[in-house]
Amino acid sequence: MGRFIYLDYNATTSTDERVVEAMKLYFNKLYGNPSSIYKFAQEAREAVEAARSKLAKILNAKPEEIVFTSGGTEADNFAIKGIAYANKEKGNHIITSKIEHHAVLNTCKWLEKQGFQVTYIGVNKYGIVDLDELRNAITDKTILITIMHANNEIGTIEPIEEIGKILQEINKQRITNNKPRIYFHTDAVQTVGKIPIDVNELGVDLLSLSGHKFYGPKGVGALFIRKRTKINSLLHGGHHERNRRAGTENVPGIVGLGKTCEIAMEEQEKEEKKPKALRDRLEKAIVEKIDDVIINGHPEKRLAGTLNICVKYVEGESMLLNLDLEGIAASSGSACTSGTLEPSHVLLALGIPPEVAHGSLRFSLGRNNTEEDIDHVIEVLPPIVKKLRAMSPFRKGREGGLRWDTQKR
Ligand SMILES: *Cc1c(COP(=O)(O)O)cnc(C)c1O
């Protein structure tokens, strides 16, 4: 294979060699079942508990507040369905945003079919949730608010701490008035390991994370559940995870996730500087070299490695295929929506017209990217866009009706 440039770190990452190394022992040497009582199995138990402590540390939580899951999707399902069913006698209303990951959105849609009511809050043009709309959406029946920490498509970082403070005030009054307290969940799959997280500063009761988004293994994640949170289990069976998640622990995965957190705590700060510099370089060059481009997401409150653009009068999928021929792996939005012709629900929520949203491209940068990678993209993307625009049926519309004013900033 010739050149390969990976620019899809928000979809997944490679597993750090040090993590692979830490996991190895637990496949065929220390393979005991952590629930067994003999000494050999207790080594596996100790490894799981050591990993739990590492997760607690990166979140500033307590070890007993961490439940291991099969990833971010399960953690989101667990948080939302678990709170909904455990608190349904008190209320049936949930608040979320229009730009959540499908693991949250489709869980909420399913709950609607089961009789729950869900309000989907809008965002401004940068993708920041509207706090007034959120405040006004709260009713006596509200039991859960779930808002993501950072968006996987555009990278915008949400004001979770502010929402946490608002809820703290509201919950104080609700408790004295005998109304149900509102639980607060955040999907932090895109932020854990990238920016410092403190569940107490954020004021959240539940937080989802996933190993493979920050150089850990796939198929393992966790849900932080604050003490005294009333939540039901998704999986019933044995007494694993303090009765909250049945099933024999994925010991190698959990050990790997622990190691991933340990590495992130030491290295995340310096780790994020490089992608940011490269991302800014790519953004600047794209704006200079390609006309009719929109940069999506917040200018500052954005993940360091994420660049989402809309190139007018071309299809995102066509650009992706052409980039692939150049050995460049990028995305048109989230991996979960590719393969469908629907424009991204996130870009539509920003107020971008569907025909423009179709021309979206997401570059997400990470630890192995170099200046040469970025320079290669800067070299090949403008001619690809030029070629596709020459063939585009939208082109005729350029002087006519098809217009979307470039956001100046
Ligand atoms: C990737 C992702 C998920 C899903 O996590 P998995 O571990 O792949 O199931 C959920 N939320 C966000 C924001 C993500 O980026």
Side-chain angles (χ1 to χ4, degrees):
M1 200 160 96
R3 192 200 288 262
F4 176 64
I5 300 173
Y6 188 73
L7 295 170
D8 205 12
Y9 282 82
N10 285 11
T12 195
T13 63
S14 68
T15 308
D16 189 299
E17 281 299 337
R18 292 166 287 182
V19 172
V20 175
E21 206 47 51
M23 292 170 73
K24 272 185 184 165
L25 200 58
Y26 295 90
F27 284 104
N28 54 2
K29 299 285 190 308
L30 300 176
Y31 55 84
N33 186 323
S35 300
S36 302
I37 59 164
Y38 38 84
K39 208 168 161 212
F40 172 66
Q42 286 313 302
E43 297 205 47
R45 164 60 52 206
E46 278 162 25
V48 167
E49 296 316 317
R52 199 186 308 281
S53 296
K54 288 172 188 172
L55 267 79
K57 201 166 168 202
I58 200 174
L59 302 177
N60 191 27
K62 299 183 185 78
E64 60 272 25
E65 293 174 317
I66 306 295
V67 178
F68 291 109
T69 67
S70 66
T73 301
E74 187 190 323
D76 286 343
N77 272 265
F78 184 6
I80 298 167
K81 292 176 190 169
I83 291 291
Y85 280 96
N87 298 278
K88 70 177 193 305
E89 308 305 330
K90 297 183 196 139
N92 69 341
H93 182 234
I94 295 166
I95 300 172
T96 188
S97 84
K98 290 183 176 159
I99 66 163
E100 298 297 310
H101 189 274
H102 282 114
V104 168
L105 279 183
N106 286 341
T107 301
C108 288
K109 282 188 192 144
W110 182 81
L111 282 175
E112 282 186 279
K113 288 190 197 143
Q114 315 307 314
F116 289 90
Q117 288 191 335
V118 182
T119 306
Y120 301 86
I121 299 296
V123 296
N124 70 11
K125 66 177 180 177
Y126 298 130
I128 305 259
V129 290
D130 185 331
L131 294 184
D132 288 328
E133 200 182 327
L134 186 127
R135 243 192 232 100
N136 292 331
I138 295 172
T139 73
D140 285 355
K141 296 266 183 240
T142 308
I143 49 172
L144 173 69
I145 294 180
T146 172
I147 303 285
M148 70 200 318
H149 195 190
N151 183 273
N152 46 302
E153 292 189 34
I154 58 176
T156 296
I157 299 170
E158 300 297 337
I160 297 302
E161 199 174 327
E162 245 177 290
I163 300 171
K165 288 211 177 86
I166 293 171
L167 272 181
Q168 224 162 27
E169 282 308 305
I170 291 176
N171 275 332
K172 256 189 229 155
Q173 292 171 12
R174 286 169 82 100
I175 287 158
T176 45
N177 295 334
N178 246 343
K179 285 184 196 160
R181 92 187 280 299
I182 303 170
Y183 287 108
F184 185 23
H185 167 249
T186 191
D187 173 341
V189 171
Q190 287 293 343
T191 51
V192 173
K194 295 180 188 166
I195 57 179
I197 306 264
D198 180 327
V199 289
N200 299 318
E201 274 174 23
L202 292 177
V204 294
D205 302 301
L206 306 115
L207 178 146
S208 306
L209 65 93
S210 174
H212 75 103
K213 301 292 176 83
F214 64 116
Y215 310 105
K218 291 177 180 60
V220 63
L223 181 65
F224 156 76
I225 307 173
R226 190 178 292 283
K227 258 189 185 159
R228 286 189 285 278
T229 295
K230 213 169 158 255
I231 188 165
N232 281 10
S233 298
L234 274 191
L235 299 184
H236 302 96
H239 300 294
H240 311 87
E241 299 294 281
R242 306 167 142 244
N243 285 325
R244 287 176 300 188
R245 201 267 190 185
T248 300
E249 296 86 344
N250 170 7
V251 179
I254 289 168
V255 167
L257 182 57
K259 185 71 185 175
T260 307
C261 289
E262 186 183 291
I263 294 170
M265 268 182 288
E266 299 236 322
E267 301 180 1
Q268 66 184 0
E269 204 180 324
K270 85 167 202 285
E271 191 75 76
E272 286 305 283
K273 290 204 175 96
K274 198 175 76 168
K276 183 173 188 308
L278 293 177
R279 191 271 314 270
D280 291 346
R281 179 190 177 104
L282 180 59
E283 177 173 326
K284 190 163 168 276
I286 285 174
V287 169
E288 275 169 18
K289 289 179 184 246
I290 305 174
D291 51 359
D292 289 321
V293 171
I294 302 166
I295 307 295
N296 300 311
H298 196 281
E300 287 99 37
K301 290 174 200 146
R302 183 165 43 141
L303 293 173
T306 304
L307 176 61
N308 188 305
I309 62 173
C310 284
V311 182
K312 292 194 220 171
Y313 322 115
V314 278
E315 292 280 334
E317 305 287 321
S318 316
M319 287 187 283
L320 283 185
L321 293 174
N322 279 274
L323 287 170
D324 191 23
L325 293 176
E326 297 287 341
I328 299 166
S331 161
S332 60
S334 73
C336 316
T337 37
S338 60
T340 72
L341 284 173
E342 289 285 296
S344 147
H345 66 286
V346 176
L347 298 182
L348 295 182
L350 303 183
I352 295 175
E355 67 273 14
V356 176
H358 270 301
S360 66
L361 263 188
R362 180 189 71 184
F363 298 106
S364 47
L365 286 60
R367 63 159 67 146
N368 290 326
N369 291 131
T370 61
E371 283 189 12
E372 292 78 60
D373 290 351
I374 298 313
D375 290 344
H376 187 59
V377 177
I378 294 168
E379 198 183 305
V380 302
L381 185 61
I384 289 173
V385 170
K386 197 172 169 205
K387 181 182 85 178
L388 291 173
R389 276 183 176 162
M391 308 183 329
S392 167
F394 294 134
R395 223 180 116 74
K396 274 204 289 309
R398 285 192 69 170
E399 289 77 40
L402 195 98
R403 268 191 61 84
W404 164 253
D405 288 320
T406 306
Q407 281 169 318
K408 289 270 182 271
R409 58 182 201 203

